[in-house]
């Protein structure tokens, strides 16, 4: 996080997500970090062009929910091929980009948010989690508070087993 904030990766254009992931991968090889690796989703949004460029390294897809003219939600999973950071020095990362419609919402989250064991012994899973996310938007619920409470009530344990994080980005009307 500190390297991203300070932009101290050498020879990296921070507006090019694949370069950022490559720089992180060179810096944090498992052989140098006690066999640890990490996943990441990295995106750059241009407010004027409304273009989002992104790349991922073994991370769950970010989810873009966009209302259409019938007020239905169009779900787009934003993911690129790429191994987790630190696994292999020669790992390649690629950029993808798309135009963002106004009133869209972007969700970036850790896998702990859907790897929650339920009473029947099954995991919530990504597809069920995405269904909950769509329900939040459709019913205009205070999304993240409602979502976390719903996940906690589905969890068989008092506390979550894994780290759980989610970020919501709302894209407003153009200026």
């Amino acid at each position: 996080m500190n390297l991203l904030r300070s932009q101290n990766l050498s020879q990296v254009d921070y507006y090019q997500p694949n370069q950022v992931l490559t720089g992180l991968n060179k810096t944090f090889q498992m052989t140098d970090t006690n066999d640890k690796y990490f996943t990441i989703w990295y995106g750059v949004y241009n407010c004027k062009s409304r273009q989002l460029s992104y790349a991922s390294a073994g991370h769950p897809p970010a989810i873009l929910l966009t209302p259409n003219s019938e007020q239905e939600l169009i779900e787009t999973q934003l993911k690129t091929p790429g191994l987790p950071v630190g696994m292999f020095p020669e790992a390649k990362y690629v950029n993808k980009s798309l135009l963002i419609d106004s009133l869209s919402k972007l969700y970036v989250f850790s896998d702990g948010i859907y790897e929650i064991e339920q009473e029947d012994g099954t995991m919530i899973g990504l597809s069920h989690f995405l269904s909950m996310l769509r329900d939040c938007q459709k019913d205009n619920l205070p999304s993240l508070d409602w979502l976390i409470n719903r996940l906690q009530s589905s969890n068989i344990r008092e506390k979550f087993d894994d780290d759980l994080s989610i970020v919501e980005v709302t894209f407003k009307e153009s200026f």
Side-chain angles (χ1 to χ4, degrees):
M1 188 57 109
N2 288 331
L3 275 175
L4 295 177
R5 280 190 188 134
S6 64
Q7 296 189 359
N8 277 334
L9 291 170
S10 62
Q11 300 177 345
V12 168
D13 178 351
Y14 280 82
Y15 293 106
Q16 296 299 318
N18 64 328
Q19 287 186 30
V20 172
L21 299 185
T22 299
L24 289 170
N25 191 55
K26 287 178 182 174
T27 304
F28 293 102
Q29 278 300 296
M30 286 175 56
T31 53
D32 302 328
T33 59
N34 204 19
D35 289 336
K36 295 190 189 246
Y37 63 88
F38 62 92
T39 67
I40 185 171
W41 187 95
Y42 184 89
V44 176
Y45 181 65
N46 182 317
C47 296
K48 289 182 179 161
S49 69
R50 299 190 69 85
Q51 183 163 325
L52 174 68
S53 298
Y54 62 94
S56 56
H59 201 73
I63 303 299
L64 183 69
L65 295 178
T66 305
N68 65 11
S69 57
E70 291 85 40
Q71 294 305 306
E72 298 170 330
L73 289 173
I74 308 302
E75 176 189 308
T76 308
Q77 294 191 19
L78 309 180
K79 185 174 177 87
T80 62
L83 294 168
V85 168
M87 286 191 132
F88 298 101
E90 67 280 355
K92 301 287 184 217
Y93 303 99
V94 294
N95 288 339
K96 281 192 178 178
S97 63
L98 75 156
L99 293 176
I100 303 292
D101 292 335
S102 58
L103 306 180
S104 295
K105 288 192 178 188
L106 176 71
Y107 295 91
V108 181
F109 46 86
S110 64
D111 60 2
I113 207 159
Y114 58 83
E115 292 178 347
I116 296 171
E117 188 176 356
Q118 302 175 96
E119 282 188 26
D120 64 2
T122 63
M123 295 288 179
I124 286 179
L126 182 59
S127 62
H128 185 101
F129 167 71
L130 295 178
S131 176
M132 286 191 269
L133 199 54
R134 285 189 302 274
D135 289 347
C136 279
Q137 294 304 302
K138 261 192 310 194
D139 298 337
N140 217 8
L141 298 166
S143 56
L144 295 185
D145 290 336
W146 178 87
L147 183 65
I148 298 299
N149 287 335
R150 176 121 182 248
L151 291 167
Q152 184 61 60
S153 67
S154 299
N155 190 6
I156 63 168
R157 291 176 183 73
E158 188 175 317
K159 295 181 180 180
F160 294 113
D161 285 340
D162 196 358
D163 66 291
L164 184 146
S165 60
I166 185 167
V167 174
E168 176 186 73
V169 178
T170 302
F171 297 93
K172 300 291 185 182
E173 297 285 340
S174 299
F175 298 108

